Amino acid sequence: MALIITDECINCDVCEPECPNGAISQGEEIYVIDPNSCTECVGHYDVPQCVEVCPVNCIVTDPDRIENREQLLAKYHALITGAERAPQE
């Protein structure tokens, strides 16, 4: 499951730095989560860190992106592998 940020977001800026995958960024009006990078912190933490710090509870499961723990872990490994294969400067 990827997470989404609802329109109840108050742009408090606390979620973005908590995401270990860099999946959260400022959108046109509110913060947004890239579903291709969101692993719900699987591989990093036991619970999604953005959900833990959100003061208005506006980060919820995306009903269009239902993934189980194994799928999230596979996505995490793919993200890590892709990062390791980045060209060296």
Side-chain angles (χ1 to χ4, degrees), residues 7-50:
D7 60 3
E8 288 139 7
C9 175
I10 59 172
N11 289 311
C12 67
D13 304 320
V14 298
C15 61
E16 183 180 24
E18 295 300 319
C19 182
N21 295 328
I24 301 174
S25 62
Q26 180 65 50
E28 288 185 31
E29 295 182 23
I30 61 173
Y31 279 91
V32 295
I33 299 175
D34 175 1
N36 296 317
S37 298
C38 178
T39 63
E40 292 193 29
C41 291
V42 169
H44 295 281
Y45 302 102
D46 292 333
V47 295
Q49 297 301 288
C50 59

Side-chain angles (χ1 to χ4, degrees), residues 38-78:
C38 178
T39 63
E40 292 193 29
C41 291
V42 169
H44 295 281
Y45 302 102
D46 292 333
V47 295
Q49 297 301 288
C50 59
V51 173
E52 288 289 300
V53 299
C54 181
V56 293
N57 298 317
C58 68
I59 304 173
V60 297
T61 301
D62 183 347
D64 296 327
R65 299 281 302 219
I66 303 300
E67 298 168 293
N68 63 34
R69 182 166 178 78
E70 290 77 28
Q71 290 169 313
L72 292 169
L73 192 56
K75 188 191 305 185
Y76 162 76
H77 286 296

